[in-house]
Amino acid sequence: MHSLETVILLLVFVLGLALLAQRIHLVFPILLTVGGLVIGFIPGLPRVVLDPSVVLLVFLPPILYSAAWYTNWSDFRQYVEPVIVLALGLVLVTSLGVALLAHSIIPGFTVSMGLLLGAIISPSDAVAATTIMKTQSVPRKIVTILEGESLVNDASALVLLQLALTSVTTGTFSLENALLEFVILSVGGIGTGLALGFISFCIHKHAKLEPALETVLTFVTAYLAYLVAEHLHLSGVLSVVTAGLFIGHKQSRVHSPIVRMQAVAVWDFVIVLLNGLIFILIGLQLPHVVNAIRGQSADYLCVYGIGISLAVVVIRFVYIFMADTVSNQIRSLIHRPPIFPSRRYTTLLAYISMRGIVSLAAVLSIPEKLQNGSPFPGRNLILFITFCVILFTLVVQGILLPLVIRALAFGQPSTDYLSRQEVQKQLSQRALMQVQRLIDQDKLTGIAVQAVIAQHQMRVRELANAETAPLLDQHQLNQKLMLTSIQAQRDELINLRDRQQIDIELFHEMENELDRQEIQWHPVSG
């Protein structure tokens, strides 16, 4: 019961932070980081001990699966070159750089321990950055590359984490064996994810499950992809990411609107819950971690934390500018345009080095003891430095990000995508064509048929001839009329229920239909 009360209190705290973030217009992950730090120093709160063996299993599969699900495969494929350069090369360079720096400035810190720390803090987390950038004038290309980098570098960093853990626990490290194992883990993980993603796709497509069971299947796929790969001693993380990319790309062809609405709502809830819990849980552990670090004063601990944080930022800047220079030279030789048209793009991409939930989950997964029963060397110090890096990159850099974007002055971002009006026009033309084909095929007649044709013809004419401002006014008028109509239907439906003139199952069915219509027409809040 005490554990249940603790979980409820933590959830209440997370909800309070979410409401505060909305009120003060601050990105939720930034406030979560500060909240996790603050809650750890509130007296009287219980000490929460997490089993390191289940941390990655509980937190990472849904988080990575969800991120992969929402990834646009076409955009990912278009920018695969910079994504791979960042997600693989930068992770490796950051891990090695942090390993050497930590070994040189921290007494007793071995290179293997430094490599472990580097693997933990090397993956960037684009959630906070992309959330901020979507409110600013930032080219879509940068957002897409950051999202792709964040997705793939999680996998590469956690594969490297497994190799580093093995090195620390065994006390031996072979570069040749490590590279071979990296390839086996990666290729095997991707293959496992593809296989399980295809099986899940077939079940989604042919089993005709209820919407609730369809949603359950998405969670089963995420966790099963991780568990099967880990059981085969392959990369569970790459397996989850691959399955999520595969199913996310196919979901529009197999999921009904009801399934998508329900699944999105459930997944959003779970992701917010997991993000909130892990930040709060590490905050509760932080004071005990600091107290358990022996032989180091608070001043030195802060120096280590700030030094490693700055090193992570500097390494990213140097690597991205060097990689961009080399890429431009190679592309000029083969007569291809550069990926970025100016250094402003490179500067913004280099600045965004936020760390987040993947680093937290990774550091919490470090076992407290080695196989021989002795304490894991440097675990508490690694955990403390990791939180310092997250605090610096997420809070300090995150708060300053809007200022950096405005200083770079990108102007109005160009786009190769169709406008909203162009998309609506094509959809209306296709709808009119298919409706007319059905009418001709089945020889349909009547007032209702003519009304449908007239409605689509009028919409096509509006979209073809109207200017942007009148079109928006017409859309707002339609929106107002439809919302008024939906509310009137809802009121009457409730009256019928209250007068016991409608079966409760039919009531919920029709209420759900009105909910879907209202979601479609309701104005999007800022």
Side-chain angles (χ1 to χ4, degrees):
M1 188 61 189
H2 179 72
S3 299
L4 178 60
E5 291 173 349
T6 301
V7 171
I8 297 298
L9 286 174
L10 292 179
L11 292 179
V12 170
F13 190 78
V14 170
L15 179 60
L17 288 177
L19 294 174
L20 180 60
Q22 289 184 346
R23 190 66 176 269
I24 64 177
H25 304 291
L26 190 64
V27 178
F28 187 41
I30 294 177
L31 197 60
L32 267 179
T33 308
V34 178
L37 177 64
V38 170
I39 196 175
F41 294 94
I42 297 177
L45 289 180
R47 179 182 182 185
V48 179
V49 180
L50 298 177
D51 184 351
S53 63
V54 301
V55 169
L56 291 181
L57 171 62
V58 171
F59 287 95
L60 281 190
I63 291 171
L64 295 177
Y65 190 84
S66 175
W69 176 287
Y70 286 111
T71 297
N72 187 320
W73 174 249
S74 299
D75 287 345
F76 181 85
R77 187 172 52 189
Q78 180 181 0
Y79 298 116
V80 68
E81 177 190 331
V83 166
I84 296 302
V85 169
L86 293 173
L88 295 180
L90 183 54
V91 164
L92 182 60
V93 169
T94 301
S95 300
L96 292 175
V98 169
L100 296 175
L101 177 62
H103 174 63
S104 63
I105 68 173
I106 303 176
F109 216 75
T110 65
V111 175
S112 295
M113 293 164 59
L115 189 62
L116 177 60
L117 173 62
I120 290 170
I121 61 176
S122 60
S124 60
D125 186 347
V127 173
T130 54
T131 302
I132 294 171
M133 287 192 296
K134 287 173 183 177
T135 65
Q136 306 286 324
S137 180
V138 176
R140 175 62 193 170
K141 177 186 293 188
I142 295 182
V143 178
T144 302
I145 292 173
L146 281 170
E147 290 174 338
E149 177 201 357
S150 177
L151 181 65
V152 180
N153 69 13
D154 292 344
S156 58
L158 290 170
V159 170
L160 187 60
L161 171 68
Q162 295 182 36
L163 301 177
L165 276 174
T166 302
S167 174
V168 174
T169 54
T170 61
T172 59
F173 180 79
S174 169
L175 181 60
E176 293 180 359
N177 292 339
L179 291 175
L180 178 61
E181 189 174 355
F182 183 88
V183 172
I184 293 173
L185 287 170
S186 302
V187 174
I190 292 172
T192 304
L194 280 175
L196 290 172
F198 180 75
I199 294 171
S200 177
F201 168 74
C202 292
I203 296 174
H204 279 298
K205 186 175 182 179
H206 300 294
K208 307 300 180 185
L209 298 174
E210 293 292 326
L213 293 178
E214 290 260 23
T215 303
V216 171
L217 179 57
T218 60
F219 282 93
V220 170
T221 303
Y223 281 104
L224 200 60
Y226 184 87
L227 287 170
V228 170
E230 289 294 317
H231 181 72
L232 297 174
H233 303 291
L234 302 171
S235 172
V237 174
L238 275 173
S239 178
V240 171
V241 169
T242 304
L245 282 171
F246 184 87
I247 297 295
H249 185 61
K250 301 286 187 182
Q251 61 87 15
S252 296
R253 302 183 183 276
V254 296
H255 287 159
S256 67
I258 257 185
V259 169
R260 279 194 296 274
M261 286 175 59
Q262 180 168 294
V264 166
V266 173
W267 274 93
D268 285 348
F269 163 75
V270 170
I271 298 305
V272 170
L273 178 67
L274 292 177
N275 272 279
L277 282 179
I278 197 166
F279 275 96
I280 301 305
L281 288 172
I282 197 171
L284 288 174
Q285 293 192 55
L286 195 59
H288 305 285
V289 167
V290 174
N291 293 332
I293 299 176
R294 306 295 182 186
Q296 301 286 352
S297 67
D299 293 340
Y300 278 106
L301 292 179
C302 291
V303 169
Y304 300 152
I306 295 173
I308 299 296
S309 300
L310 292 174
V312 167
V313 175
V314 170
I315 289 172
R316 182 177 179 90
F317 263 95
V318 172
Y319 178 88
I320 287 180
F321 272 90
M322 289 181 62
D324 185 55
T325 301
V326 173
S327 173
N328 289 342
Q329 292 175 348
I330 294 175
R331 283 174 165 268
S332 66
L333 293 176
I334 58 178
H335 306 291
R336 294 183 63 185
I339 295 175
F340 299 127
S342 72
R343 287 292 190 183
R344 288 180 299 172
Y345 290 72
T346 315
T347 302
L348 181 58
L349 192 65
Y351 175 83
I352 300 171
S353 55
M354 288 77 166
R355 269 56 177 173
I357 190 170
V358 172
S359 294
L360 284 180
V363 75
L364 291 174
S365 70
I366 299 177
E368 295 187 357
K369 296 183 181 297
L370 299 174
Q371 294 179 349
N372 59 10
S374 60
F376 194 97
R379 182 182 188 274
N380 290 321
L381 184 55
I382 292 174
L383 198 152
F384 175 80
I385 293 175
T386 299
F387 192 82
C388 288
V389 172
I390 293 171
L391 186 66
F392 179 84
T393 59
L394 193 57
V395 177
V396 177
Q397 287 192 292
I399 291 175
L400 295 177
L401 179 57
L403 300 178
V404 173
I405 293 173
R406 287 195 288 270
L408 292 173
F410 285 99
Q412 189 66 28
S414 60
T415 176
D416 297 327
Y417 298 117
L418 296 173
S419 68
R420 178 185 179 90
Q421 181 176 342
E422 291 168 333
V423 171
Q424 287 178 327
K425 179 181 175 181
Q426 291 195 17
L427 294 181
S428 297
Q429 288 174 333
R430 179 63 180 270
L432 180 60
M433 182 180 66
Q434 290 299 107
V435 168
Q436 188 64 58
R437 180 179 297 174
L438 177 63
I439 291 171
D440 295 340
Q441 175 183 314
D442 295 348
K443 297 181 171 54
L444 302 176
T445 59
I447 297 176
V449 171
Q450 296 304 317
V452 170
I453 293 177
Q455 179 183 2
H456 283 295
Q457 287 176 337
M458 181 180 67
R459 187 61 174 156
V460 170
R461 286 195 298 270
E462 286 178 351
L463 292 166
N465 302 322
E467 297 295 331
T468 302
L471 180 63
L472 290 177
D473 291 341
Q474 181 65 43
H475 176 72
Q476 291 168 358
L477 177 61
N478 290 341
Q479 184 183 75
K480 183 176 182 179
L481 292 172
M482 287 302 301
L483 289 175
T484 301
S485 168
I486 291 168
Q487 186 57 49
Q489 294 177 71
R490 189 186 303 280
D491 292 340
E492 182 61 23
L493 186 64
I494 293 173
N495 287 335
L496 292 173
R497 182 200 62 184
D498 293 343
R499 294 197 301 266
Q500 298 182 337
Q501 292 180 328
I502 185 172
D503 180 77
I504 193 64
E505 290 187 3
L506 179 59
F507 168 81
H508 286 303
E509 180 182 335
M510 298 188 70
E511 182 184 48
N512 187 264
E513 177 64 29
L514 291 174
D515 288 342
R516 292 201 301 273
Q517 294 179 24
E518 186 170 349
I519 289 172
Q520 176 185 355
W521 283 98
H522 203 282
V524 179
S525 62

